[in-house]
Amino acid sequence: MSSPRFNFNYVEPIVMLATIMQWLVLATVVGAVVGSGTSLFLHGLIFFTGKTASIPLWFQMVLLPVGGLLNGLLLHYGYKLNKTGLKDSVIEAVHKQSGRMPFKTVAIKPVAAIITLASGGSAGREGPCSHLGASLASGIGWIFRLNSELQTRLVACGVSAGFASVFGTPLAGAIYGVEVLIIGRIRHDFLFPAIVSGFVSFEISKWWGVPYTFYSVFPLPGFSEILFLKTIAIGVICGVVAWIFVDMIGLARAAFSRIGSRFDLWPPLLPMMGGCVLAALILVIPTDYLGLSLPLVSQALNGETMPYLGFLWKTLLVAITLGSGFYGGVATPQLVIGAIAGNAFAPLVGISPSLGAAVGLVAVVAAASNTPIAAILMSVELFGGNLGAVYVAGPCIAAYLIIGHRSIYPDQLVAYSKTSWLRLKPEMPLGEEKVYLSYGLLRWWSRFRLRQSMRHWWRLPRKR
């Protein structure tokens, strides 16, 4: 007697419907919990940064080293509570830890970020929110006793929910949380729960009274092929700016680590040293570049003239802040740096500073974070559909390509090379990956060098 056979064509839709219902429930729970947690953090950040927003210069110079020391003490001793052996990294949690995060240290990064920004450190606010989102989602998965695959997806949901609650861009935040995990490939099975949790988190944050800022860039010129090429030029410039940003943070981290090892310094002293360097720099760099620097974004988008080296000043302060051991996010500085650079260089290619700032704002995010799709969607949500769809898509992809195989997140994996002329081993962190010229390009280069050598030989004087 044969066993009964089920028609898969009828069973599959039922399974898919059950999957949708499952993630509607789980992602909604994650979005509500993460939205509440990030709202608490954001209100605390607004309160403490408001207290130190208008302090005199001398007090700011004292506060920076104090903030560095407090950061160092908190991070050094706080992470001793982690006895699990798990790394406190959202990308590591998704790729290597089956969605598990060390829950005892959940509050360390948010508190450290408040100290950093309230004392004047130049950093962002989205890092602690994504960390909170991943940690809270991991805890929810543990409570529900989910298997490792569901737990991994739930943590990705938490990351998306954390990003969505920060910028007021739920769709871009949700996609950012998925796209940032690996370069060149998006986990489509993560998208539905990420979008649900992102929108729920955003709505919960609005309900808790978190303020959001949206921008208008008017008047917009009519689109043309020439304008498209001009915006591509801004994208290329912002890709180079993002390259400088990524490399300067890496150099600062290596320099402070080398100093600590060379002189066997107590780890909390390194961020205090960074605070001293920052205190000295603000004697020549305006204090507007400290903290989040969001007013600079508004000024750039309004068309006010930005200095050519403004992006470099912000990059330098961020590199010293994060490189020395302060904690903070890296996405918000990308928005600031992009807006400043786009505004400053826009007249060189013949477009308005306001439009250049809008393009640069998202192009640097596309490049430094390797998230071009999320950056395009962010422009749609921040500025309106026309700007995002028409003026920004090309520059974001151009910036993403120009920066090459670099990232502000060194443990970000890479699935595919960005060009057929380069080869790399897939599924490796960028910090460990080696990129090589392709065989075809090497063969062309060898033939080119041979032709040059032959021409040089024929031009040599002959002995008679």
Side-chain angles (χ1 to χ4, degrees), residues 165-189:
S165 69
V166 176
F167 300 116
T169 54
L171 182 58
I175 300 302
Y176 188 100
V178 177
E179 192 177 13
V180 77
L181 298 175
I182 184 166
I183 299 172
R185 187 175 68 208
I186 294 179
R187 287 284 301 264
H188 291 89
D189 52 331

Side-chain angles (χ1 to χ4, degrees), residues 366-433:
S369 298
N370 288 291
T371 53
I373 296 175
I376 295 169
L377 291 174
M378 179 179 287
S379 72
V380 173
E381 293 183 288
L382 285 178
F383 304 113
N386 286 338
L387 183 66
V390 179
Y391 297 95
V392 167
C396 281
I397 302 299
Y400 165 77
L401 292 174
I402 282 295
I403 198 172
H405 299 87
R406 294 170 182 80
S407 177
I408 199 63
Y409 304 106
D411 50 355
Q412 195 174 39
L413 301 188
V414 56
Y416 301 103
S417 171
K418 294 184 181 182
T419 172
S420 61
W421 290 346
L422 296 175
R423 289 286 182 266
L424 48 77
K425 183 178 179 181
E427 311 295 333
M428 292 286 289
L430 279 179
E432 303 173 12
E433 185 51 84

Side-chain angles (χ1 to χ4, degrees), residues 114-145:
I114 290 175
I115 295 172
T116 294
L117 293 167
S119 63
S122 192
R125 57 187 176 179
E126 76 296 325
C129 288
S130 66
H131 169 263
L132 264 177
S135 299
L136 293 174
S138 179
I140 292 170
W142 179 81
I143 291 172
F144 288 155
R145 297 292 190 268

Side-chain angles (χ1 to χ4, degrees), residues 237-247 337 363-365 367-369 399 403:
I237 292 171
C238 288
V240 175
V241 167
W243 182 342
I244 295 170
F245 175 68
V246 170
D247 280 3
I337 290 167
V364 170
V365 173
S369 298
I403 198 172

Side-chain angles (χ1 to χ4, degrees), residues 215-218 220 230-231 234-235 237-238 294-306 333-347 349 351-365 375 378-379 382-383 387 391-392 395-396:
Y215 305 99
S216 296
V217 182
F218 293 106
L220 291 175
K230 290 178 178 179
T231 59
I234 290 294
I237 292 171
C238 288
L294 292 179
L296 292 176
V297 174
S298 297
Q299 294 170 24
L301 291 170
N302 289 334
E304 298 182 27
T305 303
M306 293 285 113
Q334 293 171 44
L335 300 176
V336 178
I337 290 167
I340 295 171
N343 174 290
F345 292 103
V349 299
I351 63 176
S352 70
S354 181
L355 178 58
V359 172
L361 182 144
V362 289
V364 170
V365 173
M378 179 179 287
S379 72
L382 285 178
F383 304 113
L387 183 66
Y391 297 95
V392 167
C396 281

Side-chain angles (χ1 to χ4, degrees), residues 70-294:
L70 291 176
N71 255 270
L73 292 170
L74 178 61
L75 295 172
H76 181 65
Y77 290 105
Y79 276 109
K80 291 187 176 182
L81 298 174
N82 180 15
K83 307 295 184 181
T84 62
L86 299 173
K87 291 186 178 180
D88 197 19
S89 163
V90 297
I91 296 180
E92 290 270 352
V94 172
H95 291 307
K96 296 182 180 180
Q97 297 176 177
S98 301
R100 294 182 299 157
M101 292 280 289
F103 196 73
K104 287 185 178 181
T105 57
V106 64
I108 290 177
K109 285 185 175 179
V111 173
I114 290 175
I115 295 172
T116 294
L117 293 167
S119 63
S122 192
R125 57 187 176 179
E126 76 296 325
C129 288
S130 66
H131 169 263
L132 264 177
S135 299
L136 293 174
S138 179
I140 292 170
W142 179 81
I143 291 172
F144 288 155
R145 297 292 190 268
L146 300 180
N147 60 42
S148 60
E149 179 60 28
L150 292 178
Q151 177 88 357
T152 299
R153 297 187 191 188
L154 205 66
V155 168
C157 280
V159 176
S160 295
F163 277 112
S165 69
V166 176
F167 300 116
T169 54
L171 182 58
I175 300 302
Y176 188 100
V178 177
E179 192 177 13
V180 77
L181 298 175
I182 184 166
I183 299 172
R185 187 175 68 208
I186 294 179
R187 287 284 301 264
H188 291 89
D189 52 331
F190 285 11
L191 288 179
F192 180 71
I195 290 172
V196 172
S197 64
F199 275 96
V200 171
S201 177
F202 172 61
E203 293 298 328
I204 289 293
S205 296
K206 286 199 301 183
W207 185 78
W208 283 114
V210 174
Y212 295 106
T213 302
F214 300 96
Y215 305 99
S216 296
V217 182
F218 293 106
L220 291 175
F223 188 77
S224 66
E225 291 78 6
I226 296 298
L227 177 60
F228 178 75
L229 293 176
K230 290 178 178 179
T231 59
I232 292 292
I234 290 294
V236 171
I237 292 171
C238 288
V240 175
V241 167
W243 182 342
I244 295 170
F245 175 68
V246 170
D247 280 3
M248 283 190 68
I249 290 180
L251 289 172
R253 283 175 174 158
F256 278 98
S257 177
R258 194 177 301 115
I259 291 171
S261 300
R262 174 67 177 82
F263 297 101
D264 194 23
L265 295 178
W266 186 43
L269 292 180
L270 289 177
M272 188 178 76
M273 288 176 55
C276 292
V277 176
L278 292 172
L281 285 175
I282 61 174
L283 291 174
V284 293
I285 296 177
T287 55
D288 294 343
Y289 294 87
L290 293 177
L292 293 170
S293 303
L294 292 179

